[in-house]
mmCIF file of all heavy atoms in Angstrom:
data_model
loop_
_atom_site.group_PDB
_atom_site.id
_atom_site.type_symbol
_atom_site.label_atom_id
_atom_site.label_comp_id
_atom_site.label_asym_id
_atom_site.label_seq_id
_atom_site.Cartn_x
_atom_site.Cartn_y
_atom_site.Cartn_z
ATOM 1 N N SER A 280 -118.093 -8.769 -127.957
ATOM 2 C CA SER A 280 -118.951 -8.609 -126.787
ATOM 3 C C SER A 280 -118.253 -8.738 -125.458
ATOM 4 O O SER A 280 -118.651 -8.113 -124.474
ATOM 5 C CB SER A 280 -120.098 -9.667 -126.841
ATOM 6 O OG SER A 280 -120.852 -9.475 -127.991
ATOM 7 N N LYS A 293 -124.604 -8.762 -114.835
ATOM 8 C CA LYS A 293 -125.433 -8.423 -113.667
ATOM 9 C C LYS A 293 -126.008 -9.700 -113.018
ATOM 10 O O LYS A 293 -126.009 -10.765 -113.630
ATOM 11 C CB LYS A 293 -126.520 -7.410 -113.978
ATOM 12 C CG LYS A 293 -126.113 -6.200 -114.771
ATOM 13 C CD LYS A 293 -125.001 -5.431 -114.080
ATOM 14 C CE LYS A 293 -124.576 -4.224 -114.911
ATOM 15 N NZ LYS A 293 -123.356 -3.535 -114.377
ATOM 16 N N PHE A 297 -133.742 -14.254 -107.359
ATOM 17 C CA PHE A 297 -135.006 -14.582 -108.003
ATOM 18 C C PHE A 297 -135.576 -15.888 -107.452
ATOM 19 O O PHE A 297 -135.583 -16.938 -108.053
ATOM 20 C CB PHE A 297 -134.800 -14.689 -109.546
ATOM 21 C CG PHE A 297 -136.072 -14.763 -110.342
ATOM 22 C CD1 PHE A 297 -137.000 -13.762 -110.253
ATOM 23 C CD2 PHE A 297 -136.308 -15.817 -111.203
ATOM 24 C CE1 PHE A 297 -138.188 -13.802 -110.997
ATOM 25 C CE2 PHE A 297 -137.458 -15.898 -111.979
ATOM 26 C CZ PHE A 297 -138.428 -14.861 -111.863
ATOM 27 N N CYS A 343 -127.695 -28.201 -118.272
ATOM 28 C CA CYS A 343 -127.018 -27.093 -117.629
ATOM 29 C C CYS A 343 -125.717 -27.571 -116.965
ATOM 30 O O CYS A 343 -125.666 -28.674 -116.415
ATOM 31 C CB CYS A 343 -127.919 -26.460 -116.559
ATOM 32 S SG CYS A 343 -129.388 -25.697 -117.195
ATOM 33 N N ILE A 402 -109.469 -18.117 -92.017
ATOM 34 C CA ILE A 402 -108.310 -18.932 -91.672
ATOM 35 C C ILE A 402 -107.094 -18.561 -92.529
ATOM 36 O O ILE A 402 -106.024 -18.249 -92.048
ATOM 37 C CB ILE A 402 -108.604 -20.419 -91.768
ATOM 38 C CG1 ILE A 402 -109.655 -20.822 -90.706
ATOM 39 C CG2 ILE A 402 -107.345 -21.230 -91.620
ATOM 40 C CD1 ILE A 402 -110.145 -22.246 -90.865
ATOM 41 N N PHE A 464 -106.881 -3.576 -73.220
ATOM 42 C CA PHE A 464 -106.533 -3.254 -74.604
ATOM 43 C C PHE A 464 -107.626 -2.307 -75.179
ATOM 44 O O PHE A 464 -108.812 -2.619 -75.137
ATOM 45 C CB PHE A 464 -106.570 -4.525 -75.488
ATOM 46 C CG PHE A 464 -105.222 -5.114 -75.808
ATOM 47 C CD1 PHE A 464 -105.014 -6.476 -75.646
ATOM 48 C CD2 PHE A 464 -104.197 -4.286 -76.314
ATOM 49 C CE1 PHE A 464 -103.777 -7.041 -75.957
ATOM 50 C CE2 PHE A 464 -102.993 -4.867 -76.655
ATOM 51 C CZ PHE A 464 -102.745 -6.238 -76.460
#
Side-chain angles (χ1 to χ4, degrees):
S280 300
K293 312 302 180 187
F297 191 56
C343 294
I402 293 172
F464 258 132

